[in-house]
Amino acid sequence: MNIIDATIQVNPYSRPGRIRPETKAVVLHWVANPGTSARANRDYFASLAKQTKAPFRYASAQFIVGLTGEVLRVMPEDEVAWHCGSSQPDPASGQIYTDWAREVIGPRWASRWSTPNYATVGIELCHPDASGEFSAETEASAVELAARLCIQYKLDPLASLGRHFDVVGWKDCPKWWVQNPDLWEAFKHRVAALVTA
């Protein structure tokens, strides 16, 4: 897999420069900005460093997979990215994070007083239209990248791959896989097949 180094500068809003103490899961997202490129989304994360007035926005991910399957590394993968924190309760549990997050990522990170960002890798996926459906190229690269990360961090793809929705319970992210959970399960099985190959 060819990963393009496109690291952004260290800043409080998108690359805090902190090393993750552990890695318990890989969390997938959609960029929610139809038709935009991986580079455009990377540049958006970089632009957050220039914020001067509140309210400040915090957002990033370690990787972005583009419309044609290109993979950008936005920061070193062992650093913290701001991709799956929450202050809003999960509708199902009434707690800040879901049961899945507390079980897989652990109560140390998935709690009112912390954030799963300290124990997860985030992958943003570009999509051509508002349906959120990913191109075959984007999905193929996401499978390969997720498998690589699962091998690197010794994670079981069927247990430790999550959607942003799985972490917070209220966010329709990634929309295509939240609305089509069978396709999400198929994605995880494709990753697992690559991990065990």
Side-chain angles (χ1 to χ4, degrees), residues 80-82 84-86 97 105 108-111 113-119:
V80 172
W82 301 135
C84 66
S86 181
Y97 295 105
I105 301 167
R108 176 182 181 194
W109 306 116
S111 75
W113 301 277
S114 190
T115 170
N117 292 311
Y118 282 94

Side-chain angles (χ1 to χ4, degrees), residues 61-105:
Q62 284 86 354
F63 296 97
I64 304 171
V65 182
L67 295 167
T68 59
E70 70 278 19
V71 178
L72 301 187
R73 179 187 286 113
V74 177
M75 67 187 71
E77 56 215 53
D78 63 348
E79 288 187 12
V80 172
W82 301 135
H83 67 99
C84 66
S86 181
S87 59
Q88 181 175 325
D90 161 38
S93 70
Q95 299 193 46
I96 295 299
Y97 295 105
T98 62
D99 293 341
W100 181 91
R102 285 191 305 284
E103 180 182 330
V104 174
I105 301 167

Side-chain angles (χ1 to χ4, degrees), residues 2-196:
N2 179 36
I3 297 177
I4 302 160
D5 186 26
T7 52
I8 61 177
Q9 70 182 44
V10 173
N11 72 88
Y13 310 111
S14 54
R15 186 186 167 195
R18 301 175 196 157
I19 300 299
R20 270 194 330 281
E22 57 184 335
T23 303
K24 303 288 236 163
V26 175
V27 179
L28 289 101
H29 307 259
W30 71 321
V31 297
N33 196 359
T36 58
S37 67
R39 178 61 66 169
N41 286 282
R42 175 260 178 222
D43 291 348
Y44 168 71
F45 290 152
S47 76
L48 296 177
K50 299 174 182 156
Q51 296 177 92
T52 58
K53 293 182 185 175
F56 297 108
R57 179 154 174 77
Y58 297 81
S60 58
Q62 284 86 354
F63 296 97
I64 304 171
V65 182
L67 295 167
T68 59
E70 70 278 19
V71 178
L72 301 187
R73 179 187 286 113
V74 177
M75 67 187 71
E77 56 215 53
D78 63 348
E79 288 187 12
V80 172
W82 301 135
H83 67 99
C84 66
S86 181
S87 59
Q88 181 175 325
D90 161 38
S93 70
Q95 299 193 46
I96 295 299
Y97 295 105
T98 62
D99 293 341
W100 181 91
R102 285 191 305 284
E103 180 182 330
V104 174
I105 301 167
R108 176 182 181 194
W109 306 116
S111 75
R112 182 177 300 279
W113 301 277
S114 190
T115 170
N117 292 311
Y118 282 94
T120 57
V121 177
I123 302 173
E124 290 275 0
L125 304 179
C126 296
H127 46 94
D129 59 44
S131 74
E133 182 176 5
F134 306 114
S135 70
E137 296 85 356
T138 299
E139 195 165 316
S141 290
V143 166
E144 192 174 346
L145 177 60
R148 176 185 167 281
L149 291 166
C150 285
I151 291 167
Q152 179 177 344
Y153 292 108
K154 299 178 174 54
L155 303 174
D156 173 0
L158 299 180
S160 300
L161 285 180
R163 300 163 294 182
H164 193 176
F165 170 80
D166 295 316
V167 177
V168 300
W170 54 266
K171 196 165 181 73
D172 196 22
C173 175
K175 180 180 178 182
W176 185 249
W177 285 334
V178 172
Q179 294 181 352
N180 297 280
D182 54 326
L183 298 180
W184 168 243
E185 289 300 318
F187 174 84
K188 290 195 297 183
H189 280 85
R190 286 178 65 192
V191 175
L194 206 52
V195 168
T196 56

